[in-house]
Amino acid sequence: PEAAEAIYYMHYYTGDPKYRRMAYKMWSAFQRHSKTLFGYTAVTDVRQNPPRHKDNQESFWLAETLKYFYLIFAPRDTLNLEEWVLNTEAQPFKIWK
């Protein structure tokens, strides 16, 4: 999730479309190599083609990674980082003023 998180912040603060292109490449790789019948999983060895899948889905995939992908491709004003902060688990908290 940290790679998607970093791309989100870089895109949010710079607006440079290259970060969305990076995220799209990452997303496409997940679609090609990690998608299973009922979700997404890790692979046992990234050097294998096709990779062998593990038999689980990590909780951070839903809780963090997908959230950051959503935010990268959503309009910038979906989450105003002047009003909200994301904790280490990508949960949004309203900033008290």
Side-chain angles (χ1 to χ4, degrees):
E2 286 79 8
E5 177 184 13
I7 290 172
Y8 166 67
Y9 285 115
M10 294 302 292
H11 182 263
Y12 183 89
Y13 286 112
T14 69
D16 191 329
K18 74 179 179 185
Y19 296 109
R20 278 191 173 156
R21 290 192 298 271
M22 286 179 191
Y24 180 75
K25 286 181 182 180
M26 287 175 59
W27 177 252
S28 296
F30 280 121
Q31 290 290 96
R32 279 191 314 276
H33 302 295
S34 295
K35 188 168 176 55
T36 66
L37 183 59
F38 298 108
Y40 292 83
T41 189
V43 298
T44 58
D45 187 343
V46 297
R47 297 169 296 181
Q48 290 180 332
N49 192 9
R52 198 171 83 225
H53 292 148
K54 292 189 174 186
D55 188 23
N56 68 324
Q57 178 174 287
E58 299 288 350
S59 61
F60 60 76
W61 171 255
L62 296 172
E64 296 176 70
T65 309
L66 288 183
K67 192 179 302 174
Y68 283 118
F69 277 122
Y70 170 79
L71 289 170
I72 291 165
F73 297 109
R76 186 177 190 270
D77 64 355
T78 300
L79 183 67
N80 182 344
L81 294 180
E82 297 298 319
E83 299 176 11
W84 295 87
V85 64
L86 295 169
N87 71 3
T88 58
E89 300 301 317
Q91 301 299 319
F93 288 92
K94 186 84 168 160
I95 297 172
W96 293 358
K97 301 207 180 205

